[in-house]
Amino acid sequence: MNQPIARLRRLRSVELRTHAAADSAEFYSEVWGLSVVESGREGAWLRGTGDQHHALQLTQADRNGLGRISFAVSTPAEVDDAARRVAERGILVVQGPGPVDDAGGGYGLRIVDPEGRIIELIADTLAVPALGGDDAVPVGVTHVVLNTVDIDAAVRFYCDVLGMRVSDWSEHQMAFLRCNSDHHSIAFNQAEWASVNHVAYEMPSVDHFMRGIGRLRHHGQLPLWGPGKHGPGDNTFSYFADPAGLVCEYTSGIAQIDEDRWLCRVWRRVPELSDLWGTAGPPSRQVREHMAGIPDPGAFERHDLERAS
């Protein structure tokens, strides 16, 4: 049996391709609470208060989609080991292993999953100090939910190849996968096409979470769904749409997993378990449409493959 290609330490950052990069950068910096660390004609890199150089990269594109998902590994040697295991498995590589010529630097490897998503494994990124203060702003990105046409195949790849573990299922509609003690850093939602469902940002506490929602309301931004508290993951939620229509979430209090004691559970998809507080109501047609997004072929129809050939 093949070993996973690496040990993922944490979800580091997400790149979103967006048709409204400039407006979105303004939204995430002026309203959402991230800080711009670098910017240019093609996009922007934004950080939270945590110790990652950036949590979000926005790249100008003709249509919305996922650029890549970046996971931290411990050392460049682990990246090289991952590259060898990837070659043995015949998985497509679009970049690396080697130094990353991108904001934040590092030594990385980029591979393609079965639905065309680019996954980056990276070590030795630029160190930045965590920011102090008690502002109601995100620490960083905490999870990404992805729409998939084959949830079983997606879960199998991310577990067998990337070494993630299934924390819980929401019937056979959603699967929640972890790479560390956080209940999930990736979740898959069975859908008609592959796309980004939403990106979630960690708030330090429920108080920060609620004050952040208040700030968005002050800017005329009302939640698409929330505030509430999910059953799977036990985390708070409030979902909004950015200027391109991509969904972003404030969350706090994600369940912590004890590997020796945790038992995977299959949750029923009923309102009282989707929202334990009963404050959000069922998700509306509008929020479902935003979360569905548009079909995203990922790397299979982009220049990344041309660079790799």
Side-chain angles (χ1 to χ4, degrees), residues 43-57:
W45 290 259
L46 301 99
R47 67 167 294 182
T49 61
D51 59 3
Q52 296 296 313
H53 175 271
H54 63 275
L56 174 65
Q57 178 181 348

Side-chain angles (χ1 to χ4, degrees), residues 4-303:
I5 63 171
R7 182 179 178 185
L8 308 184
R9 299 292 178 172
R10 62 186 296 184
L11 175 64
R12 177 180 172 268
S13 63
V14 178
E15 178 192 2
L16 295 176
R17 296 169 62 83
T18 169
H19 64 78
D23 289 342
S24 293
E26 181 178 4
F27 166 80
Y28 283 106
S29 60
E30 300 298 326
V31 181
W32 195 248
L34 300 178
S35 301
V36 175
V37 289
E38 293 193 40
S39 62
R41 290 196 323 174
E42 295 185 354
W45 290 259
L46 301 99
R47 67 167 294 182
T49 61
D51 59 3
Q52 296 296 313
H53 175 271
H54 63 275
L56 174 65
Q57 178 181 348
L58 298 169
T59 300
Q60 183 65 37
D62 293 334
R63 49 188 278 154
N64 290 344
L66 178 68
R68 69 181 182 273
I69 300 172
S70 182
F71 288 97
V73 298
S74 292
T75 65
E78 289 189 32
V79 175
D80 289 336
D81 288 342
R84 285 191 288 271
R85 294 188 177 115
V86 162
E88 292 169 357
R89 288 172 174 259
I91 296 168
L92 182 62
V93 174
V94 294
Q95 188 173 313
V100 174
D101 183 18
D102 201 355
Y107 188 91
L109 171 72
R110 294 176 188 172
I111 64 174
V112 180
D113 82 0
E115 291 182 296
R117 303 178 191 91
I118 296 178
I119 305 298
E120 179 178 63
L121 311 182
I122 193 164
D124 280 7
T125 54
L126 292 178
V128 297
L131 302 177
D134 193 41
D135 294 335
V137 297
V139 176
V141 64
T142 182
H143 67 257
V144 184
V145 175
L146 303 166
N147 296 317
T148 176
V149 299
D150 188 340
I151 195 168
D152 294 313
V155 168
R156 187 163 52 249
F157 180 89
Y158 279 71
C159 290
D160 293 349
V161 175
L162 296 175
M164 303 188 80
R165 286 86 68 198
V166 178
S167 297
D168 282 314
W169 287 85
S170 179
E171 296 187 2
H172 196 232
Q173 179 64 40
M174 291 191 72
F176 300 87
L177 279 63
R178 67 185 184 275
C179 65
N180 52 27
S181 62
D182 287 350
H183 179 270
H184 58 282
S185 56
I186 295 288
F188 286 102
N189 176 62
Q190 181 67 44
E192 294 183 36
W193 52 71
S195 61
V196 177
N197 185 288
H198 68 268
V199 179
Y201 300 82
E202 177 192 0
M203 300 296 267
S205 69
V206 174
D207 179 71
H208 292 86
F209 167 80
M210 292 302 295
R211 288 194 287 124
I213 295 170
R215 182 182 64 254
L216 265 76
R217 285 183 174 272
H218 178 75
H219 283 87
Q221 302 288 332
L222 300 180
L224 293 172
W225 187 32
K229 187 176 186 180
H230 288 313
D234 199 37
N235 53 300
T236 63
F237 69 87
S238 194
Y239 300 93
F240 297 83
D242 72 12
L246 293 164
V247 179
C248 45
E249 176 192 6
Y250 278 159
T251 188
S252 64
I254 188 75
Q256 295 299 296
I257 301 298
D258 181 337
E259 292 287 348
D260 294 330
R261 303 181 64 178
W262 185 263
L263 294 176
C264 178
R265 174 179 174 182
V266 179
W267 293 75
R268 291 182 298 125
R269 293 183 64 79
V270 293
E272 59 267 27
L273 297 180
S274 295
D275 175 19
L276 299 177
W277 287 347
T279 53
S284 66
R285 179 178 178 181
Q286 180 189 28
V287 71
R288 292 184 185 278
E289 289 177 350
H290 275 283
M291 288 180 170
I294 58 175
D296 183 3
F300 293 149
E301 290 189 9
R302 297 222 308 270
H303 66 280

